[in-house]
Amino acid sequence: MNTVITLPDGSQRPYDGPVTALQVAGDISGRLASAAVAARVDGQLCDLSAVIEGEHELQLVTDRDEQALEVLRHSAAHVLAQAVVRLYGPKVQYTIGPALIDDFQYGFYYDFDLPEPISAEDLPTIEKEMAKIIAEDLPTERSELPIDQAKQRMAQLGQDYKVEMIDDLARDEGASVVSFYKQGEFVDMCRGPHLPSTARLKVVKLLTVAGAYWRGDEANKMLTRIYGVAFFNKKDLAAHLDRIEEARKRDHRVIGKQLGLFLLSDAVGPGLPLWMPNGAIIRMELETWLRGELLKRGYLPVYTPHIGRLDLYRTSGHYPYYKESQFPPIQISEDEGYLLKPMNCPHHIQIYKAVQHSYRDLPVRLSEFGTVYRFEKSGELSGLTRVRGFCQDDAHIFCTPDQLEAEIESCIELTQMILQTLGLSDYRVRLGLRDADSDKYTGDAAHWDQAEDNIRNVVGKLGMNFTEERGEATFYGPKIDFVVKDCLGREWQLGTVQVDYNLPERFDLEYIGSDNAAHRPIMVHRAPLGSPERFVGILIEHYAGAFPLWLSPMQVAVLPVSDKTNDYAATVLSALKAADIRAELDDSPEKIGAKIRRATLAKAPYMAVLGERETAAGTIAVRHRTGGEAGALAVDEFVAQLRQEIDSKGLETPLLPTGS
RNA sequence: GCUGCUGUAGCUCAGUGGUAGAGCGCGUCCUUGGUAAGGACGAGGUCAUGGGUUCGACACCCAUCAGCAGCUCCA
């Protein structure tokens, strides 16, 4: 049978019989053959050794192709597994080892069930063995076996996890054959494709070792996961490692310490952050701003205590659902117990219930910066992003079915406005839906369907990009989450809007409709920041500590050139303070260069350099933290410009005009 | 919570089975300097906590607490 290969440029190559992608590449050029890592036949990714017969489109995947990196890293994972088996013996069980493409730090991993624990100190040894395997230039050979034989083969090798995976493939995907890859003495069950030979792997580095549950299930055995990265050249690896190192400098835990923003004190307890004066300014500014926005939008402020009766949370469902992740109740007597509040909604619900509501009153929007406590598992705690005691910029909206979607929309717009103002544009939107197979959700299916339709309608109307994720809903309703990544690429939920038909039911909430009959309101739970703790943690990383002027703890560093001008500096300081600008005077006996350095490291947006010239002219020599002299300004001009930048919540620093 | 690692001065980190060091920061003094580090001197540590091994432990072992990476979880 004749074979005709059509290349991406439209040209065709005829062959008398079957041909492999690698052969075609070689016929085009030797260079292409050595650059190709895989092939795409009729759009389907496959090995270079795949046999092509008949009329097909062929595209050779080279290192310039995005998917090439995936193939490379997948092969790197196989070499890692081979090295581990060589070093730790046939008792090693290798399970799964995928390539990672979107991960900020890691390029691949492999999960092992090892006969002995290993640590990061063992990684160089493993890397050496991998280098050997690469040097051995072992060709990779693909083969296929029917399910039964495949299981037998893996069972013979003592690979119980693989046997389980084959069963899954047969059951879930109806697979009748399974493919294997063999390189030297090592055989792995794998879809592929892979590099044609281990020698094609040039730059591999192992990064860390960690635990990971088999199948990601806590109930299963913990396996040993080894993470690594692989690239086509050393330059890319060096750039990658640099990027990680740079990112670590943005870590809010590092910057938070440097700039005195917050503190996690062992004496107070894990996950209980203390806001230091500089951090408190940032939080205060955000909250003040948000309070104003809420009042404009018809929210009613309320305050509620930090604890409530256990029964309240039994009714709401929070206690039974999250018993394990609560601080234990405060038991006063056998039948009187209190819980640190894990959520504000039950308290707000009581406020709603305290008076009778007419449909004319709705929507009722009760807002509170309410502090809640959750006993997060110790391994989960992390800086400000995951804590045990934190505030929520919370509100609960009680409304009629007719009002619901407009309220959801308004919550989304508020959240988007906040993110936009702060320049947080790199976020994704997730619709958290219920998993109908799970028993973790409360309430009836009709309400769930209704609620899911409600949020879909709104995000659809607003034309938002979003992903739907089953099993990500709260126990009482579906939600819209705004998710961002931290400096190391880990995702965190910030803002959230949740639709709830269930708590109104549980608490028997009512309003009187125009028909003079009692109706059930619907609740919206929403927090545009999510939590000031987590939000500020993310903001610290977003700005790398260099906050916009309105949020900066120190807005102006007042720097006399020598103590001859200290008096003038003091008058400038007073003028700034009188204008509600956060200014600090550095009258230490340092030279001006050192003072500038200190203020720059403290991320003060502006420096007012005051020497004899300025004293004589009554001006300020302005410098921005990004460097360079911006010229001299009269004190009142400087104040006016700062005021404008502060009031506009400017992200970009306007250039201060030069001149006297 | 689980797997692995880590815990030494305010911070960042060296360090050895024979009772502790650097840089930065801090204090005092000198210097009066014009846009990212002037100089001198000085104070400061129950080497996370509790056990154990040892003539002797910051070092070795065990436990606890906390942190880091990952997994799991996240109302």
Side-chain angles (χ1 to χ4, degrees):
Chain A
M1 182 180 173
N2 283 340
T3 296
V4 180
I5 303 294
T6 306
L7 295 166
D9 65 359
S11 65
Q12 295 194 320
R13 289 181 167 258
Y15 288 88
D16 285 340
V19 68
T20 69
L22 188 60
Q23 280 174 298
V24 178
D27 290 346
I28 297 170
S29 82
R31 209 173 126 66
L32 181 59
S34 62
V37 297
R40 235 178 252 119
V41 176
D42 300 330
Q44 195 74 35
L45 197 64
C46 63
D47 295 304
L48 285 173
S49 59
V51 176
I52 312 168
E53 200 168 5
E55 288 190 23
H56 294 284
E57 289 180 9
L58 171 68
Q59 191 184 356
L60 291 156
V61 175
T62 69
D63 57 13
R64 271 180 283 178
D65 195 300
E66 267 183 41
Q67 269 183 311
L69 203 55
E70 197 171 339
V71 174
L72 179 84
R73 290 175 174 180
H74 196 173
S75 293
H78 273 213
V79 172
L80 165 62
Q82 184 170 13
V84 169
V85 174
R86 280 191 184 180
L87 291 169
Y88 297 91
K91 277 191 179 165
V92 171
Q93 295 212 51
Y94 39 100
T95 65
I96 55 162
L100 305 172
I101 292 304
D102 294 328
D103 194 90
F104 183 80
Q105 298 187 74
Y106 306 124
F108 64 88
Y109 66 80
Y110 215 114
D111 285 350
F112 301 96
D113 190 350
L114 294 176
E116 57 186 295
I118 63 165
S119 76
E121 288 168 19
D122 301 306
L123 295 182
T125 313
I126 300 172
E127 274 179 348
K128 261 185 210 152
E129 193 61 41
M130 290 175 74
K132 258 194 226 168
I133 293 166
I134 291 166
E136 284 166 25
D137 189 9
L138 305 172
T140 48
E141 300 159 35
R142 182 190 166 94
S143 60
E144 289 185 353
L145 283 178
I147 292 290
D148 285 349
Q149 288 179 41
K151 279 172 67 175
Q152 212 176 359
R153 183 174 193 185
M154 285 290 110
Q156 273 167 6
L157 290 170
Q159 298 297 327
D160 305 334
Y161 296 89
K162 295 285 182 186
V163 172
E164 205 179 316
M165 286 159 72
I166 296 170
D167 278 334
D168 285 355
L169 279 175
R171 193 187 59 237
D172 300 340
E173 299 180 24
S176 55
V177 293
V178 179
S179 60
F180 289 87
Y181 280 80
K182 183 172 185 297
Q183 54 199 44
E185 80 289 356
F186 179 75
V187 181
D188 198 357
M189 176 191 112
C190 182
R191 263 204 184 86
H194 280 282
L195 299 175
S197 149
T198 58
R200 295 293 295 277
L201 217 49
K202 300 290 183 214
V203 183
V204 191
K205 182 165 178 59
L206 298 181
L207 295 172
T208 187
V209 43
Y213 298 108
W214 166 236
R215 293 177 183 289
D217 187 338
E218 226 176 341
N220 289 339
K221 183 166 184 184
M222 177 143 290
L223 307 173
T224 303
R225 173 172 297 181
I226 298 174
Y227 281 100
V229 272
F231 288 99
F232 285 101
N233 59 67
K234 284 185 179 167
K235 215 176 102 189
D236 288 351
L237 173 66
H240 178 80
L241 296 177
D242 265 2
R243 209 161 49 237
I244 294 175
E245 207 181 311
E246 280 307 306
R248 288 188 199 282
K249 292 182 193 161
R250 296 178 86 95
D251 190 317
H252 75 280
R253 292 164 298 191
V254 173
I255 293 176
K257 208 176 262 180
Q258 283 166 353
L259 300 184
L261 303 179
F262 66 94
L263 175 69
L264 285 155
S265 156
D266 200 16
V268 174
L272 300 170
L274 310 179
W275 291 79
M276 295 173 78
N278 289 339
I281 292 281
I282 295 163
R283 173 170 170 181
M284 184 193 73
E285 287 288 357
L286 281 174
E287 289 185 1
T288 304
W289 172 46
L290 191 49
R291 276 183 221 281
E293 293 296 328
L294 293 178
L295 289 175
K296 278 188 218 167
R297 287 168 170 75
Y299 284 81
L300 308 171
V302 297
Y303 293 98
T304 68
H306 287 215
I307 66 172
R309 280 192 203 281
L310 207 44
D311 272 344
L312 181 69
Y313 300 101
R314 288 205 178 96
T315 305
S316 72
H318 290 102
Y319 187 60
Y321 274 88
Y322 292 102
K323 204 172 171 183
E324 299 310 311
S325 23
Q326 306 252 275
F327 284 93
I330 303 161
Q331 212 67 43
I332 304 293
S333 66
E334 212 169 291
D335 42 33
E336 188 179 14
Y338 292 85
L339 198 63
L340 282 165
K341 71 177 170 185
M343 280 294 272
N344 299 302
C345 27
H347 285 174
H348 292 180
I349 284 170
Q350 298 311 308
I351 293 175
Y352 177 87
K353 280 187 80 156
V355 291
Q356 201 182 39
H357 292 277
S358 151
Y359 72 99
R360 295 172 185 275
D361 305 334
L362 302 189
V364 170
R365 310 182 185 93
L366 303 179
S367 71
E368 177 182 17
F369 283 63
T371 302
V372 298
Y373 298 90
R374 298 173 184 179
F375 193 79
E376 306 287 4
K377 287 187 279 187
S378 60
E380 273 309 333
L381 300 175
S382 174
L384 286 181
T385 45
R386 193 76 183 270
V387 292
R388 286 182 175 163
F390 61 98
C391 181
Q392 292 179 316
D393 58 325
D394 211 355
H396 296 92
I397 299 170
F398 302 83
C399 66
T400 69
D402 286 350
Q403 295 165 336
L404 177 62
E405 292 188 10
E407 289 303 313
I408 297 170
E409 187 177 333
S410 155
C411 295
I412 290 174
E413 282 170 346
L414 174 62
T415 307
Q416 287 175 325
M417 185 277 285
I418 288 168
L419 295 173
Q420 196 197 335
T421 302
L422 294 163
L424 280 168
S425 54
D426 192 15
Y427 62 86
R428 70 183 186 93
V429 175
R430 169 179 69 198
L431 300 200
L433 309 175
R434 84 187 184 293
D435 175 358
D437 298 332
S438 165
D439 57 0
K440 104 176 206 205
Y441 304 99
T442 183
D444 59 82
H447 278 157
W448 274 94
D449 291 340
Q450 180 62 54
E452 292 184 0
D453 281 350
N454 292 140
I455 62 173
R456 273 200 200 94
N457 288 345
V458 177
V459 294
K461 181 186 167 196
L462 294 175
M464 297 164 72
N465 291 321
F466 61 89
T467 57
E468 295 195 0
E469 292 179 34
R470 304 237 143 253
E472 291 295 317
T474 74
F475 74 88
Y476 49 73
K479 58 178 182 162
I480 303 164
D481 287 334
F482 292 76
V483 180
V484 300
K485 286 183 180 174
D486 68 15
C487 63
L488 290 181
R490 297 166 295 205
E491 287 201 317
W492 298 99
Q493 174 200 314
L494 295 182
T496 183
V497 181
Q498 308 171 350
V499 179
D500 179 6
Y501 286 80
N502 285 306
L503 292 188
E505 201 79 40
R506 284 169 171 266
F507 283 99
D508 195 24
L509 302 186
E510 291 183 345
Y511 66 90
I512 306 300
S514 58
D515 56 359
N516 197 30
H519 298 272
R520 190 76 79 207
I522 305 158
M523 281 175 71
V524 178
H525 309 235
R526 41 99 286 168
L529 303 181
S531 146
E533 280 80 3
R534 177 177 290 178
F535 195 88
V536 169
I538 293 296
L539 267 194
I540 292 169
E541 301 190 355
H542 177 64
Y543 295 124
F547 287 88
L549 187 63
W550 72 285
L551 290 175
S552 283
M554 170 170 36
Q555 295 173 315
V556 179
V558 178
L559 311 178
V561 172
S562 80
D563 58 14
K564 286 182 195 154
T565 52
N566 277 357
D567 288 347
Y568 176 58
T571 65
V572 170
L573 181 74
S574 318
L576 292 168
K577 287 195 164 170
D580 283 335
I581 287 161
R582 293 185 289 269
E584 290 174 34
L585 173 64
D586 183 353
D587 57 2
S588 67
E590 292 298 332
K591 302 215 293 194
I592 190 64
K595 292 184 186 183
I596 287 170
R597 177 181 155 80
R598 202 187 305 194
T600 307
L601 290 176
K603 313 270 189 208
Y606 289 103
M607 284 156 251
V609 177
L610 307 172
E612 298 192 37
R613 288 200 293 275
E614 289 73 25
T615 306
T619 57
I620 289 169
V622 179
R623 184 188 164 97
H624 191 257
R625 66 183 161 209
T626 51
E629 295 175 57
L633 282 180
V635 177
D636 53 354
E637 275 180 71
F638 182 51
V639 168
Q641 293 214 18
L642 293 173
R643 199 67 259 159
Q644 200 228 323
E645 186 177 340
I646 290 167
D647 293 343
S648 67
K649 300 188 168 52
L651 288 174
E652 298 297 324
T653 300
L655 261 185
L656 292 155
T658 49
S660 64

